[in-house]
Amino acid sequence: MMQVVPMSDGERDMFVLGERVRLRAMEPADAEALWWWNHDPEVMRWMDAGYAQPLVQVRTWLEERPRNAYGDVLFGIDAPAKPTAGTAEWQLIGLVRLSGAEPETGCAELNIYLGEKEYWGQGYATDAVRAVCRYGFEAMRLHKIALTVVTENDAALRVYRRVGFVEEGRLREVFRREGQWLDKYTMGLLEGELK
């Protein structure tokens, strides 16, 4: 469900709410967290990692990135802050993106990762995937959401299957990790299949 929330300074912000998370537009202030996650080998284990970038370049990318629009929607995933976070109510724990959307096909590609490892394995990724898919089907009027995932990434596969994604094909030896070539599944979720 989308909700417009008045902010303390009188501005309004839009959140996509899940049961446990809220999704919101990424901001330049999120650059440091994104930089840390992108340089953590454990977080990036199953990702097609690019080349190392300085923090200023990540911040510039977030500042200059076009605003969210039909073809490319990038959300930060916020979860209730852990007691160690001080006074913050919400903590940025990851990001989720629907990209490549075209009205002619009604399809988009999903990418997600949680960078805050203390939130892994607790249902936050499942809730974020479910929320962004609901947003894609309801607000963007998509017919299909697709993704690729390394066949050995058991945690991600559990999340995708739980939400309703099904394997549609296999890409052979397209991901290299630790000197070994691995396969990826292509998975899809049609409008009306979301669990």
Side-chain angles (χ1 to χ4, degrees), residues 76-189:
I77 303 168
D78 286 340
K82 299 281 183 178
T84 56
T87 60
E89 290 183 48
W90 294 92
Q91 178 176 346
L92 179 67
I93 65 168
L95 59 89
V96 64
R97 186 177 195 174
L98 291 174
S99 62
E102 296 180 358
E104 296 82 6
T105 63
C107 298
E109 184 172 339
L110 171 74
N111 290 291
I112 181 174
Y113 73 93
L114 297 188
E116 295 298 325
K117 294 180 270 190
E118 64 190 52
Y119 287 85
W120 289 4
Q122 299 175 47
Y124 293 101
T126 301
D127 192 38
V129 169
R130 190 173 285 124
V132 81
C133 288
R134 191 178 64 246
Y135 176 82
F137 293 134
E138 293 175 7
M140 296 173 67
R141 299 186 187 136
L142 295 173
H143 176 65
K144 180 177 184 177
I145 299 173
L147 59 87
T148 60
V149 59
V150 178
T151 55
E152 283 76 8
N153 188 347
D154 295 326
L157 285 166
R158 278 192 302 276
V159 167
Y160 301 140
R161 290 176 179 141
R162 193 174 297 133
V163 172
F165 281 87
V166 296
E167 289 95 10
E168 297 180 333
R170 188 177 190 118
L171 304 170
R172 298 180 311 140
E173 297 187 7
V174 294
F175 184 83
R176 186 175 173 96
R177 185 60 68 225
E178 299 169 357
Q180 183 180 10
W181 286 101
L182 304 171
D183 296 351
K184 283 186 175 184
Y185 290 125
T186 60
M187 300 182 80
L189 178 70

Side-chain angles (χ1 to χ4, degrees), residues 14-75:
M14 186 208 62
F15 299 107
V16 176
L17 299 178
E19 292 181 14
R20 307 184 71 194
V21 301
R22 71 177 186 185
L23 309 180
R24 58 155 176 91
M26 295 285 289
E27 303 172 357
D30 299 325
E32 188 169 346
L34 186 58
W35 183 85
W36 278 107
W37 302 336
N38 289 342
H39 289 85
D40 184 328
E42 198 173 356
V43 171
M44 299 306 292
R45 178 172 185 193
W46 300 115
M47 306 290 289
D48 290 318
Y51 297 99
Q53 298 177 339
L55 176 58
V56 68
Q57 191 171 358
V58 175
R59 185 172 290 114
T60 300
W61 176 76
L62 285 172
E63 288 170 352
E64 295 177 355
R65 185 182 182 284
R67 69 181 189 88
N68 283 343
Y70 186 83
D72 188 7
V73 178
L74 176 64
F75 290 117

